[in-house]
Amino acid sequence: MKPVRLPSTTPRVLVVALRRLGDVLLTTPLIRSVKRAYPDARIDALVFAGTEDILAGNPDVAGILTLAPGSRITETLSLFGRIAKRYDLALSTQTGDRPTLLAALAGRQSAGPVEAAGLAAGIKAFALSRSYVSERGRHRVLEILRLADVLGIPAQAEIVCPTGAVRPALASAQPYAVVHAAPMFTYKRWTSEGWRQLAAALRERGFGTVVSGAASDRAYLDEVWRDSDVVRLDGKLAWPELSALIGAARAYIGPDTAVTHLAAASGVPTIALYGPTDPRLWGPWPRGGLDRPWLAAGTIQHRGNVWLVQNPLPCLPCQLEGCERRLDSYSQCLDELSVSQVVAAVDQALAVRQAA
């Protein structure tokens, strides 16, 4: 496709990504693609308030606009007024009504995905300068990068992590692994006993365990790490600090969460514990890209610097919110995931790192 033409002097580009933290992080390859194609461009990101720190220190992002999740129509209309036709190019990374409308109104040119069929899809395709039909069976990074194809520019499949420095007290400590035990939703959790046994196994191998997590996770993590020899940093690190902490670790272990995507992109050996989520769509994206797609289910899958661990029950991956179909549900596949299997993946990752 013929490349989009932008003004020769500091063109302005807006990327709309109104989703959760991990989704915003997975948008950074598209932002990098645009920056490489148009080096003089000023690229702003429009994200939900509370997700903007995942872009901290990103050299490709000049500014960040935020919109509160669940914001009133008056707030959205106010935003419309501030950004209307202020950009030479505006990109929506979603098929939703609001992000598509924001991109169409903000940019003199615009592009984004639309649904496969229906009146709404037709209206969105008409409103956007360029569009493509979204494919639900494609990995999220690759799906977003289809926008690069639509723009007629080379795709850069590189996730850009927030940048920061390791705290001096940690930089001089013993070799450590970072463990993030608290996903946003209960149905993505592994067992408390599993995490405690994992920390013990790491200690036997000569590694300290540094625990990350949000301040809101503290009560749950108090129960998980009771009587465990770990360093608790939950609620104490901003995203750039957490990125640096993970980057300096010997390994990272965590469930399906934004922090696990961050770890995978950082290049650290990453052990990802997956339950209901389909890795073909949402598996961690290794540093340097995914050389071959994740399979739907397996025991231990290895791609680049990532080891993806599953308990492959016949129903896996169901893509549902746990066995009870709600956010606070249990998930049998994770509840029955054995410690020995997770530790085996850790040992594989450590062996590869030592050999390297």
Side-chain angles (χ1 to χ4, degrees):
M1 186 172 288
K2 197 172 182 178
V4 166
R5 295 187 63 181
L6 297 180
S8 57
T9 305
T10 320
R12 299 191 67 195
V13 179
L14 179 68
V15 177
V16 182
L18 297 176
R19 299 189 73 166
R20 298 187 183 118
L21 276 162
D23 302 285
V24 176
L25 182 66
L26 298 186
T27 303
T28 58
L30 172 66
I31 296 173
R32 172 137 295 185
S33 301
V34 175
K35 187 64 176 178
R36 292 280 173 84
Y38 306 101
D40 295 329
R42 174 193 166 90
I43 303 176
D44 293 343
L46 171 57
V47 300
F48 278 141
T51 67
E52 63 270 27
D53 286 349
I54 202 73
L55 298 175
N58 188 314
D60 304 324
V61 178
I64 300 176
L65 306 175
T66 62
L67 183 66
S71 56
R72 297 178 180 177
I73 186 64
T74 52
E75 296 174 69
T76 303
L77 290 174
S78 174
L79 178 62
F80 285 162
R82 296 200 308 273
I83 66 175
K85 302 307 175 189
R86 300 290 177 87
Y87 292 90
D88 300 294
L89 175 65
L91 307 175
S92 170
T93 60
Q94 306 153 248
T95 59
D97 296 347
R98 181 162 54 173
T100 302
L101 182 58
L102 284 164
L105 288 176
R108 299 179 185 92
Q109 300 181 79
S110 57
V114 299
E115 298 90 344
L119 178 60
I123 294 173
K124 291 171 187 175
F126 177 78
L128 297 167
S129 306
R130 300 189 182 193
S131 63
Y132 64 92
V133 176
S134 177
E135 295 181 14
R136 297 188 179 276
R138 190 185 295 253
H139 192 284
R140 181 63 181 160
V141 170
L142 297 177
E143 176 66 11
I144 294 175
L145 281 176
R146 291 181 65 198
L147 266 169
D149 297 335
V150 169
L151 297 177
I153 63 175
Q156 306 289 332
E158 177 185 358
I159 291 176
V160 182
C161 300
T163 56
V166 180
R167 293 189 180 188
L170 288 172
S172 59
Q174 72 178 110
Y176 64 88
V178 173
V179 174
H180 186 90
M184 180 177 289
F185 304 121
T186 303
Y187 76 90
K188 296 183 178 183
R189 287 179 182 174
W190 193 32
T191 63
S192 298
E193 184 60 29
W195 291 119
R196 286 192 287 271
Q197 290 186 39
L198 172 65
L202 289 169
R203 187 167 59 252
E204 290 172 0
R205 287 155 176 76
F207 298 101
T209 298
V210 179
V211 175
S212 64
S216 57
D217 300 326
R218 189 154 295 148
Y220 168 67
L221 293 175
D222 285 345
E223 190 274 326
V224 169
W225 298 118
R226 70 174 189 273
D227 302 324
S228 296
D229 183 13
V230 299
V231 177
R232 294 278 299 271
L233 293 180
D234 43 293
K236 298 179 180 179
L237 301 177
W239 279 100
E241 292 178 301
L242 179 58
S243 181
L245 175 74
I246 291 172
R250 297 300 178 89
Y252 166 90
I253 306 97
D256 171 27
T257 184
V259 183
T260 299
H261 288 290
L262 174 63
S266 76
V268 71
T270 298
I271 296 84
L273 280 52
Y274 266 52
T277 303
D278 190 339
R280 294 172 297 182
L281 309 180
W282 297 101
W285 192 262
R287 187 174 187 178
L290 194 62
D291 57 356
R292 61 193 194 306
W294 293 110
L295 301 178
T299 305
I300 299 176
Q301 300 185 59
H302 177 208
R303 307 284 189 274
N305 61 294
V306 180
W307 283 257
L308 193 144
V309 183
Q310 297 166 290
N311 176 19
L313 300 180
C315 53
L316 197 72
C318 65
Q319 277 289 84
L320 299 172
E321 294 170 342
C323 297
E324 297 173 323
R325 315 296 195 264
R326 61 174 195 260
L327 296 178
D328 62 349
S329 169
Y330 73 95
S331 293
Q332 181 183 353
C333 52
L334 286 168
D335 288 350
E336 296 179 357
L337 178 63
S338 71
V339 176
S340 60
Q341 185 177 331
V342 176
V343 172
V346 172
D347 286 339
Q348 289 181 27
L350 292 175
V352 168
R353 181 181 178 116
Q354 184 174 2

